[in-house]
Amino acid sequence: MSLLAILLILFLGGAAAWASSLLHPRLPRWIALLSVVGAMLPLVTALGDPAVSDGGWLIEYNLNWIPSLGIRFSLALDGLSALLVALTGFLGIVAISAAWNGIDERVGFFYFNLLWTLAGVVGVFTAVDLFLFFFFWEVMLIPMYFIIAIWGHENRRYAATKFFLFTQLSGMLLLISILGLVYSYSLQSGSLSFAYDDLLSVEMSAGVEWWLMLGFFVAFATKLPSVPLHSWLPDAHSQAPTAGSVLLAGVLLKTGAYGLLRFTLPLFPEASAAFAPVALTLAVVSILYCAKVALAQTDIKRLIAYTSVSHMGFVLLGIYAWNLIGMQGAVMTMLAHGLSAAALFSLAGGLQERLHTRELDKMGGLWRSAPNMAVVALFFSVAALGMPGLGNFVGEFLSLLGAFSVSIVATALAALGMILSAVYSLWVMQRVFQGEEISQSDEEGATPLSDLDARELVIYGLMMAGLVVMGMFPTVFLDYSSAAIERVVSISGSLSDGFGGR
Amino acid sequence: MDYDNAARDTINAFAPSVSWEELLWLLPHEILGATIVFAMLAIAVRRHFFVTTVITTLGLIAAALAASMQFSHLVQGAPSALVTPLFLIDAFAVFFVIVLCLGALALAILGFGYFARLDDAREEFQLLLLLATLGAVTLASSAHFVSVVIGLEMLSMALYGMIAYPIHSKVGAEHSLEAAFKYLVLSAVASATMLFGMALIYSQTGALEVVGSANSMLGYASPLALVGVMLVFVGIAFKLSLFPFHLWTPDVYEGAPLPSVALLATLGKVAVGAFFLRFLIHSHLLLNESVTLVLALLAVASILAGNVLALRQTNLKRLLAYSSIAHMGYWVVALLSGVGLGSQNMAASAAAFYLLTYAALSLGAFACLSIASSSESEAGVLSDYRGLFWRSPWLALALSVMMFGLAGIPLTAGFIAKFQVFFAAVESSQWGLLAALVLGSAIGLFYYLRVIYQMLQPAGEEGRTLRDLGLESVGSVITITLVVLFVLWAGILPEPLLVLIAALFG
């Protein structure tokens, strides 16, 4: 019941926020904030449940929806999805904070879209009926399209359309694969069902399994994203308003990784195992190639976007390492990157708000005028480059450790990515905050540079605290996800060819 | 069968006498016919657009109610009735009769708002609408090529008039005559081709029945019969505007007044589609591989051509015209996924659902367009809708729902419809068709989103102000509201509708 409450609060809160803009333009943001906080309350009680680490589904909600097609409205939460829902809620608040003063037109509609995106993401993380999953998968797209297309920057239309087309086209492949899987199930059992647990038991011929797995993989790898399906991301991230970038980088990318962990691997174990070398290669290429491309960017948001792809490569690496350590590393990277990327994007957004440019060439020496911002930026840059003691290090280290037992070459190459990430992180810090201060006076309409205000400091403080806790006490988080991950890993143990033996 | 019955059947075959009970089965047709006469007399007594519209709507409501009662009887197990060899009244036919009457009802109401200020006789529009509806209803319930031709011609004849309707008006009728002529000439050619096809079928099988055993294995009758089938397909493809026969569609859509276009896109497609579906189910044509190949080519070409050509359109009516070509392509994919084969009726249900959904969506879209327009000035160009979200948010929301529906986005009926087509295609392993579906849907999104994007633009100088809604538009507003509610209801809780449609083929 409480899962339904989370979704309903977000959906209805969105509608209420839109309606309230008729009363007062400042009302929607408060309603949005209250909705997200209210929606997270049921989750907090769920996380406090001692049954969390036992594995299994924590809260379930199950309702007949479209019986003639075997579709149920069933939601469930386990440790993995609980962590990601919590991340979604937290970054929802961050996004609202980023939009607090930045969005000043069509405010009601903006918060409507924001909350509906969040609701879609929560739905994706909790749906255990594949039709329902696909339904939410699509639901989270449209409001995001609006956020980019209406409140985005100069090239928003191109970016929004590209984002939509990429995700939609890959979504269609996902749909076909889901239908193929359900059809295989119906051949086997004589009835239709979209339920996750039912579909886990489907026996398929190797060829069918391979193609269906590929459909799932392409959809999730587009979202993740992995090279060569990543090209929508730099455009979408750089053109989206700050709150949109925060949600995209922080939460939406994680739905791809979640899909791989929850669906692709358990549903198609043999095909996925056969595909793992390809996926590992893609992961390594993503890490190195996008880190290299990031170095060549002059637009700060594009740069962060490429680093996102690079870091998500570690997630892909950890997942397809297919052992407990690697997958836990992937989960940890998802959480830590969610926080650090969201923080970096809102910092970049803050810079753009203040300087009216995203060009690195027009920035410099900001340490003097905005010391707090510089310190915060340094913290998150260092976090992103994988400084031990912070969450990102734990995640990437575990991913590499997991991958090491599978492929030493891939691990060695991927580890080079960590060097590159140190290079670009420090390079950005140097370009933006050190060196000659670029005079702002010749910029038309540029306001005198203001440092972070109290609201921003509180939000960044919370995110820093989160990363430190993740770095220092990773087991707090890993305990939640371990049961769910172990279930995925155990499937590989039953494989005949012994995946680890390569 | 005893002697008396056999004798009666023989007599029936030559001089069909209709019993009272059989007449009762044709009640919707009769009500429509009586309404036409009554409306004509009422116009002769005194011209009054509102009164004519009221008569029309009442007649359509009565016909829909009569059909609903028949439907509940049939679903509860009453045997379906072959009324003379011409009409088969079963759950399938009656369902589409209801849909057609309700669609016509919406069109009558929209037409009233649209033509309210026309500087010419307005009443005959409703008369033509009723005539077209009678034709459509006849087509949907036909069991014989003769009633097919009668229904189709009645529908088309009325449409010629409706497309050219504002011809004597001083404003806003530049293209309607051209459109009507284009439709007249091409439609006549298509009808003639179809007739020739029917003649060929008759020459080979000696039967003109659509249902029944005589034409049930048409695919294997003889090569000449197959040629006949193909010629019938040409006629159907023309009416549905499938690829090589689609050339009239954009021009006619652009030139015709909006309520007439809406009729073309809804009643026209549903009636012909229902007949096509019945024809395929009863003739088992899809057993023949050359037939499926031809249909598959039509489908793929329609999906690709429709979607690609829609991309660069700046006129919303033309855009919807190309989108209709693509949608009919999707619909044929549903047919190809095994209509009339095997015991599972997944494909037939999917096709019926798709037809209904497409009709509702295009009705809604044209309703939104026509409420923004009037016969004097149509808001057809895409830039007319620039910033609509900030000028008339409710209308923009309604149009967005329709665009999302046509694009097949969740929460709308369009998604459930497309989902079923996908499902049917996966079940019958139509991978090539699925690839076309995926590609088409992705391209399709692009131009549907373009419409929504235009509406989301800040309202600039060039965004024209839409007309103020007068009292004559109250009905249109209610219609749009109901269509939007239907589209959302069928998208969120489709179960009742799915059960209902599954009952058609049970």
Side-chain angles (χ1 to χ4, degrees), chain B residues 119-176:
Chain B
D119 51 351
D120 194 15
R122 298 164 295 186
E123 292 75 16
E124 279 80 1
F125 182 82
Q126 307 290 22
L127 212 53
L128 289 169
L129 174 67
L130 280 170
L131 203 61
T133 312
L134 183 57
V137 163
T138 305
L139 191 55
S141 54
S142 58
H144 197 280
F145 281 140
V146 168
S147 44
V148 169
V149 172
I150 293 174
L152 205 56
E153 287 306 297
M154 223 187 315
L155 180 61
S156 307
M157 294 291 175
L159 264 171
Y160 305 148
M162 291 175 86
I163 293 171
Y165 201 76
I167 181 77
H168 297 298
S169 151
K170 285 168 199 69
V171 277
E174 305 112 69
H175 299 301
S176 59

Side-chain angles (χ1 to χ4, degrees), chain A residues 117-424:
Chain A
T117 309
L118 289 177
V121 174
V122 170
V124 162
F125 286 146
T126 53
V128 284
D129 179 284
L130 265 74
F131 181 89
L132 189 65
F133 172 79
F134 183 77
F135 178 87
F136 282 122
W137 185 260
E138 298 266 294
V139 163
M140 71 180 177
L141 279 184
I142 298 151
M144 200 63 209
Y145 167 80
F146 282 141
I147 288 180
I148 302 174
I150 301 179
W151 294 274
H153 302 308
E154 64 282 350
N155 206 4
R156 55 181 177 268
R157 181 172 171 186
Y158 170 76
T161 309
K162 196 169 176 184
F163 163 71
F164 205 95
L165 282 181
F166 263 78
T167 352
Q168 190 64 21
L169 199 57
S170 60
M172 289 286 156
L173 296 179
L174 177 65
L175 177 62
I176 292 178
S177 288
I178 291 176
L179 292 174
L181 188 63
V182 171
Y183 180 56
S184 307
Y185 176 80
S186 77
L187 286 184
Q188 194 177 311
S189 71
S191 63
L192 289 176
S193 172
F194 283 79
Y196 177 66
D197 286 335
D198 287 342
L199 295 177
L200 277 177
S201 65
V202 178
E203 303 277 340
M204 287 164 281
S205 71
V208 172
E209 187 183 345
W210 176 261
W211 284 107
L212 296 182
M213 183 280 296
L214 218 52
F216 273 76
F217 180 82
V218 168
F220 296 139
T222 307
K223 201 74 174 186
L224 190 62
S226 153
V227 172
L229 301 166
H230 67 289
S231 78
W232 62 271
L233 183 135
D235 290 310
H237 278 59
S238 57
Q239 297 303 324
T242 309
S245 306
V246 166
L247 281 190
L248 268 173
V251 185
L252 260 71
L253 303 192
K254 275 65 190 179
T255 59
Y258 172 81
L260 289 174
L261 271 175
R262 172 78 79 218
F263 296 106
T264 312
L265 267 55
L267 288 173
F268 313 103
E270 274 102 6
S272 295
F275 188 72
V278 181
L280 288 176
T281 313
L282 287 178
V284 171
V285 172
S286 292
I287 293 170
L288 294 178
Y289 171 73
C290 287
K292 177 74 188 65
V293 174
L295 281 172
Q297 300 303 313
T298 58
D299 178 325
I300 185 162
K301 280 180 104 173
R302 275 189 94 82
L303 188 148
I304 303 173
Y306 275 109
T307 68
S308 273
V309 186
S310 176
H311 288 294
M312 293 313 278
F314 283 102
V315 175
L316 192 60
L317 188 77
I319 291 174
Y320 276 89
W322 211 324
N323 46 41
L324 185 63
I325 296 175
M327 283 190 191
Q328 287 281 43
V331 173
M332 205 63 211
T333 310
M334 280 156 76
L335 296 174
H337 175 262
L339 291 185
S340 67
L344 287 172
F345 271 116
S346 44
L347 279 166
L351 281 173
Q352 187 179 9
E353 225 171 83
R354 289 167 171 86
L355 302 175
H356 301 283
T357 181
R358 298 193 306 271
E359 287 300 313
L360 284 169
D361 293 342
K362 295 186 179 159
M363 300 176 184
L366 295 181
W367 198 294
R368 223 160 300 146
S369 45
N372 289 342
M373 196 177 201
V375 170
V376 171
L378 181 63
F379 179 89
F380 287 108
S381 302
V382 164
L385 68 81
M387 171 75 88
L390 298 175
N392 304 55
F393 170 75
V394 180
E396 289 176 13
F397 178 73
L398 288 178
S399 294
L400 289 172
L401 196 61
F404 190 78
S405 64
V406 181
S407 163
I408 296 175
V409 179
T411 313
L413 287 172
L416 290 178
M418 296 190 77
I419 299 176
L420 282 175
S421 78
V423 174
Y424 58 66

Side-chain angles (χ1 to χ4, degrees), chain B residues 487-498:
Chain B
V487 167
L488 294 178
W489 170 73
I492 297 169
L493 293 172
E495 180 65 17
L497 201 55
L498 289 172

Side-chain angles (χ1 to χ4, degrees), chain B residues 259-292:
Chain B
S260 314
V261 184
L263 187 126
L264 256 182
T266 53
L267 295 203
K269 304 246 151 102
V270 171
V272 177
F275 158 64
F276 194 25
L277 192 52
R278 163 158 279 168
F279 184 45
L280 286 182
I281 290 174
H282 286 276
S283 63
H284 301 99
L285 271 171
L286 292 179
L287 289 171
N288 187 314
E289 274 177 20
S290 47
V291 173
T292 49

